[in-house]
Structure formats: C-alpha cells, structure tokens
Amino acid sequence: MSTQDRSPTYLRQKIQEYQDNPLIEALPPILSAREAGIHMMYKPPFDLAEKSFTVEERWHLLGRLKHLVAPRPYFYQLERTVSRLIRSGYVLRNPCKPETWQAVYKAQANTPPPLLHRHLTATDSECVVVGLSGMGKTTAIDAVLRTYPQQLIRHQRWRNKPLPIQQLVWLKVTCPKNGSILAFCREFARQLDLALGTQEYEKMYSRSRVTTDEAEGMMRQHAATYFLGVLVIDEIQRLSVPKSGGAERLLDFIQNLRDMLKVPIVLVGTYKAVSLFKEEMKDARRASESGLLDFKRPVCRDAEWDKLVERLWNYQWVHNYTSLTPSMQDRLFDLTQGVTDFLVILFKLTQQRVMEDGTETLTEAAIQATYDESFPLLQPAINALRKNTIESLFAFEDLLPPDRYLDQLRQPQLPCLENLEEHIDELFEVPSHASPPAPVPAAPKKGGRSSSPSDPKDLRHAVSHTTPLEFLHAAGHLNTASPGLLPNVPDE
C-alpha cells in the first residue's frame, strides 16, 4: 500500500465514498427505542363483548395468545445489533462501485476479486443468539425483522442514473433437521422464492444432478446478486448433526459467505449451539464480534417476569375476571420456571379448563390442576430447571447453559428502561374487565395523561389505530414506500 493509501485523509475520503450508498439510503431510518417498541410489539385484539361468546367460540379466541409479542429488554438489544449489522455490511457493497460488481460476478466461483475493498473491513458481521427452547428467540428475531417492513426493495434509478437492481434486506432460513449443506441450500432457495415472489429457485436447487458444491455456488451467487442485507439462520444447533461433512463444513461455508460477500450473519439456537464454536478459535472469535446475546431464563421472580405476566393476564375470555395476586405470580413461576412459552401454554389451557367445567374463574387450584393433567411431557424438563443442578440438566441437552469460557462474549445488558416500560404498559392496556361486556374503541391512559393528544401525528395515536405502521408512515415517522406488517405472524 502506498503512502497515500495509508494517509488518514485518503481513508476518510474512502469511508465517505462508501457511505454515499443507495442500499443504505433505501433502509428505514434508525429507530429510537420507543419507535422500535411500537414496531416490534403485537397486541392481539380483545373485546369485552367476546366474553359472552359460546365456549366453542372462546376456545378459538384463546389461540390469539400465541401471537402476543410484548418487547422485553433483550428485544431492543437484538434490534440495535441487527440494525448495525445490515448497515455496516452494506457499506462494503455499494452497487455504484465497480469492485462491488466484480464481487457479484465472481461470487459463484468463490474466488475473491482483486482489490475488493482493501481499505475497509466490516467492523461487525456476525451475531449469535442463544437461549432455552421457548424463551422467545424466534419471536424476538421475527419482531426485529418487522422493523424492516420492506423485505424486498426494487430500485430503478438513483440520483438521475439507472440502477435496476433488487435489494433483499433480510432472509431468514431455518436449519434442516439433518444438518446437511445441500438441504440448507434448498431451504435458502425456498425462502428466496417466497421473498421474491418467484417459483424458480427451489426447483433449480432441487434438481437431482445438483451437487453440494454447485448448490453452494448458486447460494453465493444469489446472495450477491440480490444484495442480501443479513442472513438469519434459526435452529443453528441442528448443524451439530454429522452429515455431509457435519457442522464444521457448514460453519466454514457460512463464514465464507460472510467473508467473501460481506453478508452479515445472525445465528439463533439453543444452548446446544454453543458447542459449535468450541473446536476452533476463529469460529469463537467471529461469533463474539457483536457479543453473545443470551436469552437468560430468570432463576426467580423479578420485575421483568412480573410485567410479562401482568400483560398476559388481562387476556381473560372467561366470564368471571380474576385479579392477579402475588401468590398466583409465585405459582405461575414455579410451574413454568420462567420459560415464556410454558407460561402462555399454561395460561391458555387453564382458561380452556374452567370454560369446560363451567366455573369460568381462574384460580390457583385450576392452574395447578391444569399443570398436573396437561403438562406430563414437560414436567421432567421443568423439574430439572427447578433443581437447576448440572446433574438434573445433563439429561436435557438444550437446558445446559453455555460454558464459562463464553461468558465474556456476552453483551452487557441494557440500562433500566423504566420510561420505555411505562410506554409499553400503555400500549398493552385492555378494556377493564369490571365494565359490562361491550366494545371499547380505545384503551384508557395511565397517570392522568391526555387520552386524545392534540397533535394528530402524536405517536400515541398508533395505539388505537388498526394498522399502526400505516399510521406511522402517514404521520411521517417512517420513510418506507410500502408500510404494513409482515404476512407471517410470530409463531414462537
């Protein structure tokens, strides 16, 4: 490198040059925590009039509980990390630069183009999210991806020049159960078809004569061609199954995608996935670039757990509303051991039980009876969590926490977000169960705040709007061309 290449002035010019990028300009603006919370939350509909429906009808309404998304502190951590990954990855892939197209043309051959961004390297390009099954990892990543409502952005012109490209902001792929590279590439192709609205790539990858190497090359080519912003790989622990070279080969392929094409990666899995990074230092080093996001299970009742239960507890379709007591909080935590999905399932099944027996009232006895009769398959795992010893957890591989050597890779927790929690409380208010069953147009406000802000663009209007993203777009809080929630509702 010449003296000019090493000078700070020259490097600053290069950085500015890469920031002048149509891919980054097309993204939604960086969100504040408050705005991110509005995008990530999902408040299922609830109407007091529904409490008078038949038992059969109310059983169906209970299915809405599965879709409730109440952002928790680690949701905001993940949102900020993904936002940084996408933007830092696009800095090195400016479609207005010839070296970017050199990389696109050479992607399938897996050979680095000459002088590809030799002055700049991505500061962040990988994130690993781990936690118990049922702690909401998939729910969180789906909520974060909803902050990018335009998964596919079609460019035509930029600054009065033709730019006929398609920008795929994100793609989420669930690892196949057999852990093979070829199956992973085919799942990538299926998700690519769904995102692009095509029906050609899954057929292309599924031809009988396509080899693993050819599928790898096609995946690299399509990730480069469509300027993929971030690749989210869920259920990463399945890669530990030794098939077609095992996890080591597939991890090498993923790292190659990251290194050669500058496509950031988000790996999501249970604690079993931590073992994937033990073999080689390079894998652990790359996994730690954005910190290890650990969706920890609370070992006892805490303020965050109580908030989650309070928000869920309001969704009672039984005739007789029961107030939440500290004793019930203790019982719910003991029977679910802080696992979010267990809590939702137990709450739903208990309502079903009291509807069926005609008592129509939630009680501790009903909760305990539901656990005893409906949780036989989960009780061994819950008992292991309750004991919380190495011996008890050893029988359940997914329950084992990461080894101590990865502790330093975790990101520091966000500071207390008291004001943000108050705002989420407002968003999750539901009609008072003490009122007679009747449709309620809007939730009441806390703390004496005005229920009808005078400013028509006030963010609080999004609470009562049927489609909050459309309201935010119309009010000028978003700059996306096609606002709206994603078609897929979170299912974890």
Side-chain angles (χ1 to χ4, degrees):
M1 185 181 295
S2 67
T3 303
Q4 181 190 20
D5 291 344
R6 292 194 300 267
S7 69
T9 301
Y10 180 80
L11 291 179
R12 281 196 298 270
Q13 292 174 347
K14 294 298 293 183
I15 291 172
Q16 179 60 42
E17 184 179 319
Y18 285 112
Q19 286 178 339
D20 194 16
N21 188 323
L23 300 180
I24 297 177
E25 289 188 7
L27 296 174
I30 297 175
L31 302 175
S32 67
R34 188 182 184 91
E35 294 168 331
I38 294 174
H39 284 72
M40 292 189 291
M41 66 164 283
Y42 181 76
K43 178 183 174 182
F46 180 83
D47 194 322
L48 288 175
E50 296 169 342
K51 294 162 70 72
S52 62
F53 289 2
T54 65
V55 171
E56 292 77 14
E57 291 172 323
R58 286 181 287 147
W59 269 47
H60 286 273
L61 297 179
L62 288 171
R64 297 176 184 172
L65 294 173
K66 190 70 173 177
H67 306 310
L68 183 145
V69 180
R72 304 170 76 178
Y74 48 73
F75 281 51
Y76 299 94
Q77 227 174 333
L78 182 58
E79 188 275 328
R80 293 173 182 179
T81 299
V82 170
S83 175
R84 185 176 64 203
L85 287 176
I86 293 176
R87 287 168 171 80
S88 64
Y90 278 144
V91 165
L92 304 184
R93 291 181 290 154
N94 191 333
C96 298
K97 303 298 177 184
E99 54 264 35
T100 298
W101 290 104
Q102 292 178 34
V104 172
Y105 296 145
K106 292 180 176 291
Q108 187 162 355
N110 195 28
T111 56
L115 304 179
L116 175 61
H117 309 302
R118 62 175 180 169
H119 303 292
L120 297 173
T121 58
T123 56
D124 297 287
S125 55
E126 186 171 318
C127 171
V128 178
V129 180
V130 295
L132 286 179
S133 179
M135 282 302 297
K137 302 180 299 299
T138 299
T139 296
I141 193 64
D142 287 346
V144 169
L145 295 179
R146 278 202 300 276
T147 64
Y148 300 90
Q150 281 187 280
Q151 182 182 9
L152 180 67
I153 301 173
R154 303 180 188 274
H155 298 257
Q156 295 298 330
R157 300 184 65 83
W158 188 67
R159 297 188 178 178
N160 298 322
K161 294 183 179 179
L163 188 68
I165 63 173
Q166 297 185 80
Q167 176 185 356
L168 190 58
V169 180
W170 57 267
L171 196 68
K172 180 187 169 190
V173 180
T174 301
C175 284
K177 292 184 178 180
N178 63 12
S180 71
I181 297 177
L182 188 57
F184 177 81
C185 293
R186 287 172 177 169
E187 179 61 18
F188 174 91
R190 190 176 76 86
Q191 295 300 326
L192 189 62
D193 272 332
L194 290 174
L196 300 177
T198 59
Q199 297 180 345
E200 57 182 288
Y201 293 111
E202 187 175 6
K203 295 178 182 178
M204 183 186 304
Y205 283 65
S206 300
R207 293 196 302 263
S208 58
R209 294 185 179 181
V210 172
T211 65
T212 300
D213 289 340
E214 289 173 338
E216 289 182 20
M218 289 190 295
M219 182 175 168
R220 285 193 298 269
Q221 185 63 66
H222 294 139
T225 300
Y226 292 108
F227 296 94
L228 179 58
V230 65
L231 176 63
V232 178
I233 305 177
D234 202 2
E235 303 292 350
I236 190 68
Q237 73 278 358
R238 292 178 179 175
L239 301 186
S240 61
V241 179
K243 186 173 182 179
S244 299
E248 181 179 355
R249 184 179 177 191
L250 188 46
L251 276 177
D252 285 342
F253 166 63
I254 293 171
Q255 301 299 348
N256 175 272
L257 183 70
R258 186 201 80 146
D259 294 339
M260 300 295 294
L261 303 180
K262 311 302 182 185
V263 176
I265 308 290
V266 176
L267 305 177
V268 184
T270 65
Y271 287 133
K272 183 180 177 182
V274 174
S275 61
L276 299 173
F277 306 99
K278 290 182 178 179
E279 300 300 326
E280 296 190 31
M281 177 59 70
K282 65 181 179 66
D283 294 327
R285 175 180 57 80
R286 288 166 175 167
S288 67
E289 286 183 350
S290 292
L292 183 73
L293 297 182
D294 186 357
F295 282 30
K296 289 184 178 181
R297 175 185 69 91
V299 296
C300 62
R301 269 188 61 192
D302 57 18
E304 184 183 332
W305 166 264
D306 287 349
K307 281 286 188 182
L308 176 64
V309 176
E310 290 169 7
R311 289 163 184 164
L312 180 68
W313 193 256
N314 283 319
Y315 287 88
Q316 294 186 32
W317 279 278
V318 295
H319 289 164
N320 306 314
Y321 176 77
T322 303
S323 298
L324 182 64
T325 65
S327 179
M328 283 184 172
Q329 284 269 32
D330 290 335
R331 182 65 61 96
L332 287 170
F333 182 85
D334 180 63
L335 299 181
T336 62
Q337 286 300 299
V339 178
T340 308
D341 199 38
F342 295 173
L343 171 66
V344 175
I345 294 173
L346 182 59
F347 185 58
K348 179 187 71 173
L349 294 181
T350 303
Q351 290 198 59
Q352 290 181 188
R353 178 187 181 88
V354 298
M355 288 178 187
E356 189 174 42
D357 65 20
T359 60
E360 295 284 349
T361 304
L362 295 177
T363 64
E364 283 191 57
I367 294 172
Q368 183 67 56
T370 302
Y371 173 83
D372 293 337
E373 296 179 11
S374 301
F375 273 44
L377 297 179
L378 293 176
Q379 286 177 13
I382 294 174
N383 289 334
L385 291 172
R386 187 178 289 117
K387 292 180 181 178
N388 200 31
T389 63
I390 295 297
E391 292 75 15
S392 65
L393 298 178
F394 188 77
F396 301 92
E397 191 172 7
D398 283 353
L399 303 184
L400 290 172
D403 290 345
R404 292 180 180 178
Y405 86 99
L406 280 180
D407 286 347
Q408 68 272 23
L409 303 183
R410 293 190 178 98
Q411 282 194 351
Q413 295 298 312
L414 289 176
C416 183
L417 299 174
E418 293 183 358
N419 294 335
L420 185 60
E421 286 289 350
E422 291 177 3
H423 175 64
I424 298 299
D425 280 343
E426 292 177 4
L427 295 179
F428 268 88
E429 285 187 20
V430 298
S432 172
H433 290 266
S435 303
V440 179
K445 300 295 179 180
K446 285 185 177 179
R449 297 181 183 180
S450 172
S451 60
S452 300
S454 58
D455 185 358
K457 295 185 178 181
D458 193 292
L459 282 172
R460 283 175 283 173
H461 285 300
V463 178
S464 57
H465 203 279
T466 55
T467 51
L469 282 182
E470 290 184 3
F471 166 80
L472 293 172
H473 179 267
H477 298 297
L478 292 177
N479 65 355
T480 55
S482 301
L485 288 173
L486 298 179
N488 298 326
V489 179
D491 57 4
E492 185 181 11

